[in-house]
Amino acid sequence: LVGSTYPCGILTANQSGMALTTTVDAQGQFTVPITLPMAEGTYPFTLTIQSRDGRSRTGHLDVIVDKTAP
């Protein structure tokens, strides 16, 4: 997962009880290396960002694995 949010915050990506945490850089950019199962399907993630001043936000993201050609 790659994105941008509060600079220098802490981002947690939680999927089925497995949480990955990373620090957001000074420009607000982050990368969270995730490994998805090989099986097709929808994998829901909950993303939570905690800023240095105590603000936090939570959002949801579905990652879809689809191996069927159009």
Side-chain angles (χ1 to χ4, degrees):
L1 302 174
V2 176
S4 62
T5 187
Y6 299 130
C8 303
I10 301 295
L11 180 92
T12 302
N14 189 321
Q15 198 271 327
S16 295
M18 297 185 70
L20 298 170
T21 301
T22 191
T23 302
V24 180
D25 71 18
Q27 288 75 41
Q29 304 298 309
F30 67 86
T31 301
V32 179
I34 62 170
T35 302
L36 294 173
M38 294 300 293
E40 289 188 348
T42 301
Y43 298 92
F45 284 81
T46 300
L47 304 175
T48 302
I49 181 68
Q50 179 76 40
S51 69
R52 290 192 303 182
D53 65 3
R55 294 179 292 160
S56 68
R57 296 276 169 108
T58 298
H60 303 280
L61 172 72
D62 287 335
V63 177
I64 299 169
V65 175
D66 180 1
K67 298 179 181 183
T68 306

